[in-house]
Amino acid sequence: MAYTPENLTITPRDRRFGRGTKQERWWLGGDPVATAFYNALSATFPKGEAFFVESVRAFRDAAPPKLADEIRAFTTQEVMHSREHVAFNKRALEAGYDLSELEDRIDRRLEFVRKRPPIVNLAATMCLEHFTAILANQLLSNPKHLRGADKESGDLWRWHAIEEIEHKGVAYDTWLHATKDWSRRKRWKVKARVMLFTTRNFVVDRSRGTLALLRQDGITGFRAWRKMLWFAWINPGMLRKILGAWLAFFLPRFHPWKHDDRNLIRLVESDYAAAILPQPATA
Ligand SMILES: [Fe+2]
Ligand SMILES: [Fe+2]
């Protein structure tokens, strides 16, 4: 908790995106691979974020007042993210994609983890929140990732990313408080094991999800694998680019706020951003 900035405010921004608009099937730069990658991610959010909320809220009553307030703001943000990704996923459905296979996989993962003790659920959430925070940092640091996105979808992903950065310490601080009587060694062992497990599932499941969506575009077999791996690991290479930040999680005394990246929030919310962010591909 010592690392969370004193002047941090977690501000839920109640925004809605793309209502009443028809989304192009390949909304991201007309590229089926980029679209599949982000659609696969979005498919997981409504249920995944509901799980994050229940995992962290289970520890709210025992939290000190400041942390309890942050948990409240975190909850409000995640609930709104779920709402907007439900709407986004509906537009993907209307554009012709069937996400049910991806959603079933999430159901199975959550069914498994919910049988574990609350502290394990909190640890899984803390790990996945680190994932979302470093993805968000990369998404906002490098305009290449969302280049050519339609305006509403691009705005949705940027909005989600800034709030993920803003609340990135909440699950972690909740974990630090909940395990304050544990030895440093035990804490590290549990969090490292849970991180390796969730990372393996995250990478495998999102890759399978991306391939499942590419199949719906008639891209299959070796060609699909090659395109998916190229996109994720080489160019623009989101997974490669977050590797260093992912590894930092294993350092002794890691804390998400040891890297203060609120400048990205200010950048996206400034008028300056309007001038430098990529313009929509179509008028
Ligand atoms: Fe979120
Ligand atoms: Fe989050």
Side-chain angles (χ1 to χ4, degrees):
M1 270 157 273
Y3 294 107
T4 298
E6 274 301 318
N7 63 354
L8 173 72
T9 47
I10 299 174
T11 313
R13 300 154 180 80
D14 189 0
R15 293 184 57 189
R16 286 164 200 266
F17 302 90
R19 297 296 199 281
T21 62
K22 188 180 167 300
Q23 188 162 292
E24 290 297 323
R25 183 174 174 98
W26 298 339
W27 60 269
L28 184 39
D31 178 1
V33 184
T35 299
F37 183 85
Y38 287 94
N39 282 3
L41 204 53
S42 181
T44 70
F45 283 142
K47 287 174 180 172
E49 298 194 305
F51 166 74
F52 296 170
V53 165
E54 62 184 62
S55 307
V56 174
R57 283 183 73 183
F59 292 87
R60 194 184 65 191
D61 290 346
K66 185 172 183 289
L67 181 57
D69 283 348
E70 288 176 358
I71 292 174
R72 255 176 232 112
F74 158 83
T75 299
T76 309
Q77 288 189 334
E78 294 294 31
V79 167
M80 288 191 297
H81 300 167
S82 288
R83 179 191 75 198
E84 290 312 300
H85 281 275
V86 165
F88 178 90
N89 295 347
K90 195 163 156 268
R91 292 196 294 282
L93 192 78
E94 286 161 1
Y97 287 111
D98 177 6
L99 303 178
S100 54
E101 184 184 328
L102 286 71
E103 288 164 351
D104 290 348
R105 182 167 294 279
I106 288 289
D107 284 339
R108 287 200 298 277
R109 291 284 185 216
L110 291 178
E111 202 185 306
F112 172 82
V113 75
R114 281 192 173 112
K115 287 184 188 141
R116 312 279 135 179
I119 194 69
V120 176
N121 286 342
L122 178 63
T125 296
M126 167 186 67
C127 294
L128 287 163
E129 278 286 287
H130 181 56
F131 241 106
T132 54
I134 61 181
L135 285 168
N137 174 293
Q138 179 53 224
L139 197 73
L140 298 181
S141 302
N142 188 348
K144 201 172 181 180
H145 295 294
L146 288 175
R147 188 159 292 153
D150 75 58
K151 172 87 172 71
E152 288 293 305
S153 304
D155 284 349
L156 159 69
W157 285 91
R158 280 185 286 273
W159 162 80
H160 193 167
I162 60 176
E163 294 200 343
E164 287 306 319
I165 289 177
E166 207 168 66
H167 72 225
K168 67 178 179 173
V170 176
Y172 204 88
D173 286 342
T174 307
W175 155 265
L176 286 180
H177 185 72
T179 60
K180 60 185 186 305
D181 298 328
W182 292 19
S183 68
R184 278 185 59 198
R185 192 181 144 77
K186 183 180 173 191
R187 255 186 187 162
W188 189 86
K189 243 173 82 177
V190 172
K191 84 167 204 178
R193 281 173 64 175
V194 174
M195 188 49 143
L196 290 173
F197 184 71
T198 51
T199 299
R200 183 245 167 228
N201 291 346
F202 182 90
V203 173
V204 169
D205 290 358
R206 293 309 78 74
S207 300
R208 280 187 182 164
T210 304
L211 290 171
L213 295 177
L214 286 175
R215 208 176 307 126
Q216 296 179 29
D217 281 317
I219 303 170
T220 57
F222 176 71
R223 197 167 141 248
W225 273 96
R226 183 174 51 81
K227 283 176 177 287
M228 187 264 294
L229 291 174
W230 183 267
F231 182 82
W233 293 95
I234 310 290
N235 187 20
M238 173 62 92
L239 297 183
R240 173 174 51 85
K241 285 178 173 148
I242 63 170
L243 209 56
W246 178 82
L247 275 171
F249 186 82
F250 296 91
L251 292 172
R253 299 189 186 279
F254 163 83
H255 188 279
W257 281 114
K258 276 198 169 172
H259 178 215
D260 187 346
D261 49 358
R262 285 178 292 171
N263 61 317
L264 291 169
I265 301 178
R266 288 190 286 271
L267 179 72
V268 174
E269 292 194 321
S270 68
D271 291 336
Y272 172 69
I276 63 152
L277 285 171
Q279 297 304 302
T282 51

